[in-house]
Amino acid sequence: MKRGPAVLTGVHFFNGDVACAEGALAAGCRFFAGYPITPATEIAERMAERLPEIGGTFIQMEDEIASLSAVLGASWAGVKAMTATSGPGFSLMMENLGFGYMTETPCVIVNVQRGGPSTGLPTLVGQGDMMQARWGSHGDYETIVLAPSSAQEMFDLTIAAFNLSEKYRLPVLLLSDAVIGHITERVVIPAEEEIPIVNRKKFAGPREAYLPYLPDEDLVPPMVAAGEGYRVYITGLTHDERGYPSTSPEVQERLVRRLVEKIRRNARDIIRMEERGVEDAEVVLVAYGISARVAYRAMELARAAGRRVGWLRLITVWPFPEERIRDLATRVRAFIVPELNLGQIVREVERCAAGRARTIPVLRPGGAVHDPREILAIIEETFHD
Amino acid sequence: MTEAQHPLDHLLRADRLPHIWCPGCGIGIAMRCLVLALEELGRPLDRVVVVSGIGCSARVAGYVRLDGFHTTHGRAIPFATGLKLANPDLTVIVFSGDGDLAAIGGNHLIHAARRNLDLTVICVNNFIYGMTGGQFGPTTPLAARSTTTPYGNFEPPFNLPALVAASGAVYVARWTVFHVRRLIAAFQEAIAKKGFSFVEVLSPCPTGYLRRNKLGEALEMMRYFKAQSEIRHGADPAEAGIEMGGKLILGKFVDIERPTYQERMRKQLAMFFIEPYAEKVREEIEAEEVES
Amino acid sequence: MSRWEVKIAGFGGQGIILAGYLLGKAAAVYDRRHATMVQSYGPEARGSACASQVIIADEPIYYPYVTEPDVLIAMSQEAYMKFAAEVKPGGLLLIERDLVALDTGRSDFVRSGVRLHALSATKIAEELGHRIVANIVMLGFLCALAPIVSPSGMKEALRSSLPKSAIELNLLAFETGYERGLQVGYNLAGNPS
């Protein structure tokens, strides 16, 4: 067998998990460490098959903690790296996730969400890890979380996740769900040269001049890899610009503020969403992942009945598109938020609406998606109030 | 420059002094042995990486003037796994303590040995959790007192050389910080060894272990290391368990050949892919032929 | 018709998911249309209730679930009992003749205007060489009875998805099912009911 292509340009019929793996390869990922878990296993299986074809490395680790550790190590060797898991494994990754934010290590973590808590519903859909993705590791930090809604987006947003992680030097999370991981759809993979790729900013100056945590104007410090002669010291302890540990409150202030600010200040560059019919809407459905597709049907049904209903799909969930929701809250009557948890992202919508528009949750704890008619009934209620 | 230079300044981060270790602690000796070993070994130091977890011994990664990664508690080995696999040209040394490597990180330890990944693991065993103030750990001898075994320890400890040997390590040795020259030689052998090598370094913790067990100052422990040590190269590591105040079996227990993780991977994949695996395998075979 | 909603149901081991996959692939990759497939099956790998839902359309598909199928392929009694009543008036209901008894004791079970066709797909597959291709016989049957995907696209999907050693038998199964479908179509054309 000859070496396979890294980018499978063409039209495919892929499930979301396979599309995600292909997106990673197209983004330049050459290292995958993982542990089998439903419904994310197909990502590992695809990587196990494909990475050797293109000279990359696949390793199945002893658990999810080790998987993320190995990914972080590979990233410091200068290689784009990814792991994929579901709720229970995601929980195990929380400590090293924090290490990734603290040490500003680019990598991508995919969570194909299933119903929880605990072992929950291994084969069935859930969206219960949205807040864990934001707040799961201890301490203060900001993160980037993307939520794909189709197999095509499992491909596209995995590339976006790598690009954002390289640009802002942090772990980026792809929060998918069991339906989007397993849905099989047309996936169009463009020609290699048409796929925009971002690589981490590297430091190229002399060894003496390098301070591993001295940021540029964009608040992101240029990176080097182990073995390049810079003799870096990288620690999860609070550290100064040299990377040296410090117990000074001033150093803590400077470091943690920067970790947070580098994302907040660039929120406009990071946030993406898709909107339909929002311009004239009295009520806007806000949803993400598979729930956004169900909500779309509800909107179609409501529009057919003459209701002015809009649809806002979150592609970036974190940082949350506060500005947009605040803006809409001044001119719509209500937001309706269907999600497969008992109230997570709806709290953000409510916070941003700040009483200027009603926020109505439509919640299920996972196991099955909503019936569009169930959402339609809530829409109708808002028009009768 | 008029400032006096320490002969090891190029290998140590003098700007990070003073270090955090207590007077009488043996970790500094082990660190010095490591840098001396590296200096003599002649490997390009820019390609040597030290990875650690959490604890007193783990601070070594930040005192050596090499690429150093001070990772999360117990996870030095999987982090090192990622580094090594993503860049096989690196010499990757894990330097950490017994609690970090054998308790919270114990599962990673045995799996890395099983895979025979080309890593060197240096485990400073001071029989106690030092940084958190003297709690018992997976190597604390029976009956020993600690802040969490105030009535004496009743959990049997791990015999680390036996554990890693049984798991597949190709090089296993144990020395103490008293045996400085032996330790340097062992570090050199372990680093030069292809595959998973493991050196256990017995070391005094005057603050967390000796004081509470009325074992005297660090010097007493060094005397104990000298008086009670028995060097038995090739001894069955299973017979090298440690009891409080008992004899210490030291030496090189295991030094065998077994294909490394990457050798096996390349060989397996070469059956399916011509490049890059078959070429690498051919290079390896040719290199072996030249050597023999 | 620009939009087709298809449900294929039976039990695990009948190749229900594969049939849905092949149908969707033929539409998405070879007919260059939008297609989506979701699957549902019980916890056991074999023998439990199993269904795949395929939607084929010219425009992007948002809601991927089939509530009122244009086509139902029922490969088991359970599948028939569970889903037959959902089929749209004017829709197509294809059943595995030897595994589904139509007499359910209820006359209103299937909605009026639904075209029902039965085929001994498993028996035909056995005669061709292996019962495992009963799903493909059924797909051939479907392709002849409804312009849902092009037969050439279907055959391409078979060729590109199956192991080399299995392609010949599967193509034969498809052709056989397709011919049976044409015969039905011919009969229908000749004897309008």
Side-chain angles (χ1 to χ4, degrees), chain A residues 316-364:
Chain A
T316 311
V317 174
W318 303 108
F320 190 74
E322 299 173 343
E323 238 174 276
R324 185 61 181 149
I325 299 295
R326 274 196 204 113
D327 170 46
L328 287 174
T330 62
R331 56 188 182 83
V332 303
R333 296 214 322 234
F335 294 106
I336 296 176
V337 187
E339 50 183 338
L340 298 176
N341 56 55
L342 295 186
Q344 299 195 9
I345 296 304
V346 67
R347 301 165 77 105
E348 286 299 300
V349 176
E350 192 169 28
R351 180 175 66 82
C352 297
R356 286 185 294 269
R358 283 179 65 197
T359 304
I360 305 163
V362 191
L363 309 174
R364 275 171 171 255

CSV table of all heavy atoms in Angstrom, one decimal, chain A residues 316-364:
chain,number,residue,atom,x,y,z
A,316,THR,N,-20.4,28.8,17.7
A,316,THR,CA,-19.6,29.0,18.9
A,316,THR,C,-20.5,29.1,20.1
A,316,THR,O,-21.3,30.0,20.1
A,316,THR,CB,-18.8,30.3,18.8
A,316,THR,OG1,-18.2,30.3,17.5
A,316,THR,CG2,-17.7,30.4,19.8
A,317,VAL,N,-20.3,28.2,21.0
A,317,VAL,CA,-21.1,28.3,22.3
A,317,VAL,C,-20.4,29.1,23.3
A,317,VAL,O,-21.0,29.9,24.0
A,317,VAL,CB,-21.5,26.9,22.8
A,317,VAL,CG1,-22.2,27.0,24.1
A,317,VAL,CG2,-22.4,26.2,21.8
A,318,TRP,N,-19.1,28.9,23.4
A,318,TRP,CA,-18.2,29.7,24.3
A,318,TRP,C,-17.1,30.2,23.5
A,318,TRP,O,-16.5,29.4,22.8
A,318,TRP,CB,-17.7,28.8,25.5
A,318,TRP,CG,-18.8,28.2,26.3
A,318,TRP,CD1,-19.1,26.9,26.3
A,318,TRP,CD2,-19.7,28.8,27.2
A,318,TRP,NE1,-20.2,26.6,27.2
A,318,TRP,CE2,-20.5,27.8,27.7
A,318,TRP,CE3,-19.8,30.2,27.6
A,318,TRP,CZ2,-21.5,28.1,28.7
A,318,TRP,CZ3,-20.8,30.5,28.5
A,318,TRP,CH2,-21.6,29.4,29.1
A,319,PRO,N,-16.7,31.5,23.6
A,319,PRO,CA,-17.4,32.5,24.4
A,319,PRO,C,-18.8,32.7,23.8
A,319,PRO,O,-19.0,32.7,22.6
A,319,PRO,CB,-16.5,33.8,24.2
A,319,PRO,CG,-15.7,33.5,23.0
A,319,PRO,CD,-15.5,32.0,22.9
A,320,PHE,N,-19.7,33.0,24.8
A,320,PHE,CA,-21.1,33.1,24.4
A,320,PHE,C,-21.4,34.4,23.7
A,320,PHE,O,-20.8,35.4,24.1
A,320,PHE,CB,-22.0,33.0,25.7
A,320,PHE,CG,-23.4,32.9,25.4
A,320,PHE,CD1,-24.0,31.7,25.0
A,320,PHE,CD2,-24.3,34.0,25.6
A,320,PHE,CE1,-25.3,31.6,24.7
A,320,PHE,CE2,-25.6,33.9,25.3
A,320,PHE,CZ,-26.1,32.7,24.8
A,321,PRO,N,-22.2,34.4,22.6
A,321,PRO,CA,-22.4,35.6,21.8
A,321,PRO,C,-23.3,36.6,22.6
A,321,PRO,O,-24.5,36.9,22.2
A,321,PRO,CB,-23.1,35.1,20.6
A,321,PRO,CG,-23.7,33.8,20.9
A,321,PRO,CD,-22.9,33.2,22.0
A,322,GLU,N,-22.8,37.1,23.7
A,322,GLU,CA,-23.5,38.0,24.6
A,322,GLU,C,-24.1,39.2,23.8
A,322,GLU,O,-25.3,39.6,24.0
A,322,GLU,CB,-22.6,38.5,25.7
A,322,GLU,CG,-22.1,37.4,26.5
A,322,GLU,CD,-21.1,37.8,27.5
A,322,GLU,OE1,-20.5,39.0,27.4
A,322,GLU,OE2,-20.8,37.1,28.5
A,323,GLU,N,-23.3,39.8,23.0
A,323,GLU,CA,-23.7,41.1,22.3
A,323,GLU,C,-24.9,40.8,21.5
A,323,GLU,O,-25.8,41.6,21.5
A,323,GLU,CB,-22.5,41.5,21.4
A,323,GLU,CG,-22.0,42.8,21.6
A,323,GLU,CD,-20.7,43.1,20.7
A,323,GLU,OE1,-19.6,42.7,21.1
A,323,GLU,OE2,-20.9,43.6,19.6
A,324,ARG,N,-24.9,39.8,20.7
A,324,ARG,CA,-26.0,39.5,19.8
A,324,ARG,C,-27.3,39.3,20.6
A,324,ARG,O,-28.4,39.8,20.2
A,324,ARG,CB,-25.7,38.3,18.9
A,324,ARG,CG,-26.7,38.0,17.9
A,324,ARG,CD,-26.9,39.1,16.9
A,324,ARG,NE,-27.8,38.8,15.9
A,324,ARG,CZ,-28.6,39.8,15.3
A,324,ARG,NH1,-28.4,41.1,15.6
A,324,ARG,NH2,-29.4,39.5,14.4
A,325,ILE,N,-27.2,38.5,21.6
A,325,ILE,CA,-28.5,38.2,22.4
A,325,ILE,C,-29.0,39.5,23.1
A,325,ILE,O,-30.2,39.8,23.1
A,325,ILE,CB,-28.2,37.1,23.5
A,325,ILE,CG1,-27.8,35.8,22.8
A,325,ILE,CG2,-29.4,36.9,24.3
A,325,ILE,CD1,-28.8,35.1,21.9
A,326,ARG,N,-28.0,40.3,23.6
A,326,ARG,CA,-28.4,41.6,24.2
A,326,ARG,C,-29.1,42.5,23.2
A,326,ARG,O,-30.2,43.1,23.5
A,326,ARG,CB,-27.2,42.3,24.7
A,326,ARG,CG,-26.8,41.9,26.1
A,326,ARG,CD,-25.8,42.9,26.7
A,326,ARG,NE,-25.1,42.1,27.8
A,326,ARG,CZ,-23.8,41.8,27.7
A,326,ARG,NH1,-23.1,42.3,26.7
A,326,ARG,NH2,-23.3,41.1,28.7
A,327,ASP,N,-28.6,42.5,22.0
A,327,ASP,CA,-29.1,43.3,20.9
A,327,ASP,C,-30.5,42.9,20.6
A,327,ASP,O,-31.5,43.6,20.5
A,327,ASP,CB,-28.1,43.3,19.8
A,327,ASP,CG,-28.7,43.9,18.5
A,327,ASP,OD1,-29.3,45.0,18.7
A,327,ASP,OD2,-28.6,43.3,17.4
A,328,LEU,N,-30.7,41.6,20.4
A,328,LEU,CA,-32.0,41.0,20.0
A,328,LEU,C,-33.0,41.2,21.1
A,328,LEU,O,-34.2,41.4,20.8
A,328,LEU,CB,-31.8,39.5,19.6
A,328,LEU,CG,-31.2,39.2,18.3
A,328,LEU,CD1,-31.0,37.7,18.2
A,328,LEU,CD2,-32.0,39.7,17.1
A,329,ALA,N,-32.6,41.1,22.3
A,329,ALA,CA,-33.5,41.2,23.5
A,329,ALA,C,-34.2,42.5,23.5
A,329,ALA,O,-35.3,42.6,24.0
A,329,ALA,CB,-32.7,41.0,24.8
A,330,THR,N,-33.7,43.6,22.8
A,330,THR,CA,-34.3,44.9,22.8
A,330,THR,C,-35.5,44.9,21.8
A,330,THR,O,-36.3,45.8,21.8
A,330,THR,CB,-33.4,46.0,22.5
A,330,THR,OG1,-32.8,45.8,21.2
A,330,THR,CG2,-32.2,46.1,23.5
A,331,ARG,N,-35.5,43.9,20.9
A,331,ARG,CA,-36.6,44.0,19.9
A,331,ARG,C,-37.4,42.7,19.7
A,331,ARG,O,-38.3,42.7,18.8
A,331,ARG,CB,-36.0,44.5,18.6
A,331,ARG,CG,-34.9,43.7,18.0
A,331,ARG,CD,-34.3,44.4,16.8
A,331,ARG,NE,-33.2,43.7,16.2
A,331,ARG,CZ,-33.4,42.7,15.3
A,331,ARG,NH1,-34.6,42.4,15.0
A,331,ARG,NH2,-32.3,42.1,14.8
A,332,VAL,N,-37.1,41.7,20.4
A,332,VAL,CA,-38.0,40.5,20.3
A,332,VAL,C,-38.8,40.3,21.6
A,332,VAL,O,-38.4,40.8,22.6
A,332,VAL,CB,-37.2,39.2,19.9
A,332,VAL,CG1,-36.4,39.4,18.7
A,332,VAL,CG2,-36.3,38.7,21.1
A,333,ARG,N,-39.9,39.6,21.5
A,333,ARG,CA,-40.7,39.3,22.7
A,333,ARG,C,-40.1,38.2,23.6
A,333,ARG,O,-40.1,38.3,24.8
A,333,ARG,CB,-42.1,38.9,22.3
A,333,ARG,CG,-42.8,40.0,21.5
A,333,ARG,CD,-44.3,40.0,21.8
A,333,ARG,NE,-44.9,38.7,22.0
A,333,ARG,CZ,-46.0,38.3,21.3
A,333,ARG,NH1,-46.5,39.0,20.4
A,333,ARG,NH2,-46.5,37.1,21.5
A,334,ALA,N,-39.6,37.2,22.9
A,334,ALA,CA,-39.1,36.1,23.7
A,334,ALA,C,-38.0,35.3,23.0
A,334,ALA,O,-38.0,35.3,21.7
A,334,ALA,CB,-40.3,35.2,24.0
A,335,PHE,N,-37.2,34.7,23.7
A,335,PHE,CA,-36.3,33.6,23.2
A,335,PHE,C,-36.8,32.3,23.7
A,335,PHE,O,-37.2,32.1,24.9
A,335,PHE,CB,-34.8,33.8,23.8
A,335,PHE,CG,-34.2,35.1,23.4
A,335,PHE,CD1,-34.0,36.2,24.2
A,335,PHE,CD2,-33.7,35.2,22.1
A,335,PHE,CE1,-33.4,37.4,23.8
A,335,PHE,CE2,-33.0,36.4,21.7
A,335,PHE,CZ,-32.9,37.5,22.5
A,336,ILE,N,-36.8,31.3,22.8
A,336,ILE,CA,-37.1,30.0,23.2
A,336,ILE,C,-35.9,29.1,23.0
A,336,ILE,O,-35.3,29.1,22.0
A,336,ILE,CB,-38.3,29.4,22.4
A,336,ILE,CG1,-39.5,30.3,22.7
A,336,ILE,CG2,-38.6,28.0,22.7
A,336,ILE,CD1,-40.8,29.9,21.9
A,337,VAL,N,-35.5,28.4,24.1
A,337,VAL,CA,-34.2,27.7,24.1
A,337,VAL,C,-34.4,26.2,24.3
A,337,VAL,O,-34.6,25.8,25.5
A,337,VAL,CB,-33.2,28.2,25.1
A,337,VAL,CG1,-31.8,27.6,24.9
A,337,VAL,CG2,-33.1,29.8,25.0
A,338,PRO,N,-34.5,25.4,23.2
A,338,PRO,CA,-34.6,24.0,23.4
A,338,PRO,C,-33.2,23.4,23.5
A,338,PRO,O,-32.3,23.6,22.7
A,338,PRO,CB,-35.3,23.5,22.1
A,338,PRO,CG,-35.0,24.5,21.1
A,338,PRO,CD,-34.5,25.8,21.8
A,339,GLU,N,-33.0,22.6,24.6
A,339,GLU,CA,-31.7,21.9,24.7
A,339,GLU,C,-31.9,20.6,25.4
A,339,GLU,O,-32.8,20.4,26.2
A,339,GLU,CB,-30.6,22.8,25.3
A,339,GLU,CG,-30.9,23.4,26.6
A,339,GLU,CD,-29.8,24.4,27.1
A,339,GLU,OE1,-28.6,24.2,26.7
A,339,GLU,OE2,-30.1,25.2,27.9
A,340,LEU,N,-30.9,19.7,25.2
A,340,LEU,CA,-31.0,18.3,25.8
A,340,LEU,C,-30.3,18.2,27.1
A,340,LEU,O,-29.4,17.4,27.3
A,340,LEU,CB,-30.5,17.3,24.8
A,340,LEU,CG,-31.3,17.2,23.5
A,340,LEU,CD1,-30.7,16.3,22.5
A,340,LEU,CD2,-32.8,16.9,23.7
A,341,ASN,N,-30.7,19.1,28.0
A,341,ASN,CA,-30.2,19.1,29.4
A,341,ASN,C,-31.3,19.9,30.1
A,341,ASN,O,-32.2,20.4,29.6
A,341,ASN,CB,-28.9,19.8,29.5
A,341,ASN,CG,-28.9,21.2,28.9
A,341,ASN,OD1,-29.7,22.1,29.3
A,341,ASN,ND2,-28.0,21.5,28.0
A,342,LEU,N,-31.2,19.9,31.5
A,342,LEU,CA,-32.2,20.6,32.2
A,342,LEU,C,-32.0,22.1,32.5
A,342,LEU,O,-32.3,22.6,33.6
A,342,LEU,CB,-32.5,19.8,33.5
A,342,LEU,CG,-33.1,18.4,33.2
A,342,LEU,CD1,-33.5,17.6,34.5
A,342,LEU,CD2,-34.3,18.4,32.2
A,343,GLY,N,-31.3,22.7,31.6
A,343,GLY,CA,-31.1,24.2,31.7
A,343,GLY,C,-29.7,24.6,31.8
A,343,GLY,O,-29.2,24.9,32.9
A,344,GLN,N,-29.0,24.7,30.7
A,344,GLN,CA,-27.6,25.2,30.8
A,344,GLN,C,-27.4,26.4,29.9
A,344,GLN,O,-27.2,27.5,30.5
A,344,GLN,CB,-26.7,24.0,30.3
A,344,GLN,CG,-26.8,22.8,31.3
A,344,GLN,CD,-25.7,21.8,31.2
A,344,GLN,OE1,-24.7,22.0,30.5
A,344,GLN,NE2,-25.9,20.7,31.9
A,345,ILE,N,-27.5,26.3,28.6
A,345,ILE,CA,-27.2,27.5,27.8
A,345,ILE,C,-28.4,28.5,27.9
A,345,ILE,O,-28.2,29.7,27.8
A,345,ILE,CB,-27.0,27.1,26.3
A,345,ILE,CG1,-25.8,26.2,26.2
A,345,ILE,CG2,-27.0,28.3,25.4
A,345,ILE,CD1,-24.5,26.9,26.7
A,346,VAL,N,-29.6,28.0,28.3
A,346,VAL,CA,-30.7,28.9,28.5
A,346,VAL,C,-30.4,29.9,29.6
A,346,VAL,O,-30.9,31.1,29.6
A,346,VAL,CB,-32.0,28.1,28.8
A,346,VAL,CG1,-31.9,27.4,30.2
A,346,VAL,CG2,-33.2,29.0,28.8
A,347,ARG,N,-29.6,29.5,30.5
A,347,ARG,CA,-29.2,30.5,31.6
A,347,ARG,C,-28.4,31.7,31.0
A,347,ARG,O,-28.5,32.8,31.5
A,347,ARG,CB,-28.4,29.8,32.7
A,347,ARG,CG,-29.1,28.6,33.3
A,347,ARG,CD,-28.1,27.8,34.1
A,347,ARG,NE,-27.8,28.4,35.3
A,347,ARG,CZ,-28.3,28.0,36.5
A,347,ARG,NH1,-29.1,27.0,36.6
A,347,ARG,NH2,-27.9,28.6,37.6
A,348,GLU,N,-27.5,31.4,30.0
A,348,GLU,CA,-26.8,32.4,29.4
A,348,GLU,C,-27.7,33.4,28.6
A,348,GLU,O,-27.5,34.6,28.6
A,348,GLU,CB,-25.7,31.8,28.4
A,348,GLU,CG,-24.6,31.1,29.2
A,348,GLU,CD,-23.8,32.1,30.0
A,348,GLU,OE1,-23.2,33.1,29.4
A,348,GLU,OE2,-23.7,31.9,31.2
A,349,VAL,N,-28.6,32.8,27.9
A,349,VAL,CA,-29.6,33.6,27.1
A,349,VAL,C,-30.3,34.5,28.1
A,349,VAL,O,-30.5,35.7,27.9
A,349,VAL,CB,-30.5,32.7,26.3
A,349,VAL,CG1,-31.6,33.5,25.6
A,349,VAL,CG2,-29.7,31.8,25.3
A,350,GLU,N,-30.8,33.9,29.2
A,350,GLU,CA,-31.6,34.7,30.2
A,350,GLU,C,-30.7,35.8,30.8
A,350,GLU,O,-31.2,36.9,30.9
A,350,GLU,CB,-32.0,33.7,31.3
A,350,GLU,CG,-33.0,34.3,32.2
A,350,GLU,CD,-33.7,33.2,33.1
A,350,GLU,OE1,-33.0,32.3,33.4
A,350,GLU,OE2,-34.8,33.4,33.5
A,351,ARG,N,-29.5,35.5,31.0
A,351,ARG,CA,-28.5,36.5,31.6
A,351,ARG,C,-28.4,37.7,30.6
A,351,ARG,O,-28.4,38.8,31.0
A,351,ARG,CB,-27.2,35.8,31.8
A,351,ARG,CG,-26.1,36.8,32.4
A,351,ARG,CD,-24.9,36.0,32.8
A,351,ARG,NE,-24.2,35.5,31.6
A,351,ARG,CZ,-23.3,36.2,30.8
A,351,ARG,NH1,-23.1,37.4,31.1
A,351,ARG,NH2,-22.8,35.6,29.8
A,352,CYS,N,-28.2,37.4,29.3
A,352,CYS,CA,-28.0,38.4,28.4
A,352,CYS,C,-29.3,39.1,28.0
A,352,CYS,O,-29.3,40.3,27.8
A,352,CYS,CB,-27.4,37.8,27.1
A,352,CYS,SG,-25.8,37.1,27.4
A,353,ALA,N,-30.4,38.4,28.1
A,353,ALA,CA,-31.7,39.1,27.8
A,353,ALA,C,-32.0,40.0,29.0
A,353,ALA,O,-32.7,41.1,28.7
A,353,ALA,CB,-32.8,38.0,27.7
A,354,ALA,N,-31.6,39.7,30.1
A,354,ALA,CA,-31.7,40.6,31.3
A,354,ALA,C,-33.1,41.2,31.5
A,354,ALA,O,-33.2,42.4,31.8
A,354,ALA,CB,-30.6,41.7,31.2
A,355,GLY,N,-34.1,40.4,31.3
A,355,GLY,CA,-35.4,40.8,31.5
A,355,GLY,C,-36.1,41.7,30.4
A,355,GLY,O,-37.2,42.0,30.4
A,356,ARG,N,-35.3,42.0,29.4
A,356,ARG,CA,-35.8,42.8,28.3
A,356,ARG,C,-36.7,42.0,27.4
A,356,ARG,O,-37.5,42.5,26.7
A,356,ARG,CB,-34.7,43.5,27.5
A,356,ARG,CG,-34.1,44.7,28.3
A,356,ARG,CD,-33.1,45.4,27.4
A,356,ARG,NE,-31.9,44.6,27.2
A,356,ARG,CZ,-30.8,44.5,27.9
A,356,ARG,NH1,-30.7,45.2,29.0
A,356,ARG,NH2,-29.8,43.7,27.6
A,357,ALA,N,-36.4,40.7,27.3
A,357,ALA,CA,-37.2,39.7,26.6
A,357,ALA,C,-37.4,38.5,27.4
A,357,ALA,O,-36.5,38.2,28.3
A,357,ALA,CB,-36.6,39.4,25.2
A,358,ARG,N,-38.5,37.8,27.3
A,358,ARG,CA,-38.7,36.6,28.1
A,358,ARG,C,-37.7,35.5,27.6
A,358,ARG,O,-37.4,35.4,26.4
A,358,ARG,CB,-40.1,36.1,27.9
A,358,ARG,CG,-41.1,36.8,28.7
A,358,ARG,CD,-42.5,36.3,28.5
A,358,ARG,NE,-42.6,34.9,29.0
A,358,ARG,CZ,-43.6,34.0,28.6
A,358,ARG,NH1,-44.5,34.4,27.7
A,358,ARG,NH2,-43.6,32.8,29.2
A,359,THR,N,-37.3,34.6,28.4
A,359,THR,CA,-36.5,33.5,28.0
A,359,THR,C,-37.2,32.2,28.5
A,359,THR,O,-37.5,32.0,29.7
A,359,THR,CB,-35.1,33.5,28.7
A,359,THR,OG1,-34.5,34.8,28.3
A,359,THR,CG2,-34.2,32.4,28.2
A,360,ILE,N,-37.5,31.4,27.5
A,360,ILE,CA,-38.4,30.2,27.8
A,360,ILE,C,-37.6,28.9,27.5
A,360,ILE,O,-37.2,28.7,26.3
A,360,ILE,CB,-39.7,30.2,27.0
A,360,ILE,CG1,-40.4,31.6,27.2
A,360,ILE,CG2,-40.5,29.0,27.3
A,360,ILE,CD1,-41.4,31.9,26.2
A,361,PRO,N,-37.3,28.2,28.5
A,361,PRO,CA,-36.6,26.9,28.2
A,361,PRO,C,-37.5,25.8,27.8
A,361,PRO,O,-38.7,25.8,28.2
A,361,PRO,CB,-36.0,26.6,29.6
A,361,PRO,CG,-36.9,27.3,30.6
A,361,PRO,CD,-37.5,28.4,29.9
A,362,VAL,N,-37.0,25.0,26.9
A,362,VAL,CA,-37.7,23.7,26.5
A,362,VAL,C,-36.7,22.6,26.7
A,362,VAL,O,-35.8,22.4,25.9
A,362,VAL,CB,-38.2,23.8,25.0
A,362,VAL,CG1,-39.2,22.6,24.8
A,362,VAL,CG2,-38.8,25.1,24.6
A,363,LEU,N,-36.8,21.9,27.8
A,363,LEU,CA,-35.7,21.1,28.2
A,363,LEU,C,-36.1,19.6,28.3
A,363,LEU,O,-37.2,19.2,28.6
A,363,LEU,CB,-35.3,21.5,29.6
A,363,LEU,CG,-35.0,23.0,29.7
A,363,LEU,CD1,-34.7,23.4,31.2
A,363,LEU,CD2,-33.8,23.4,28.8
A,364,ARG,N,-35.1,18.8,27.9
A,364,ARG,CA,-35.2,17.3,28.1
A,364,ARG,C,-33.8,16.9,28.6
A,364,ARG,O,-32.8,17.4,28.1
A,364,ARG,CB,-35.4,16.7,26.7
A,364,ARG,CG,-36.8,16.6,26.2
A,364,ARG,CD,-36.8,16.1,24.8
A,364,ARG,NE,-38.2,15.8,24.3
A,364,ARG,CZ,-38.7,14.6,24.2
A,364,ARG,NH1,-37.9,13.6,24.4
A,364,ARG,NH2,-39.9,14.4,23.8
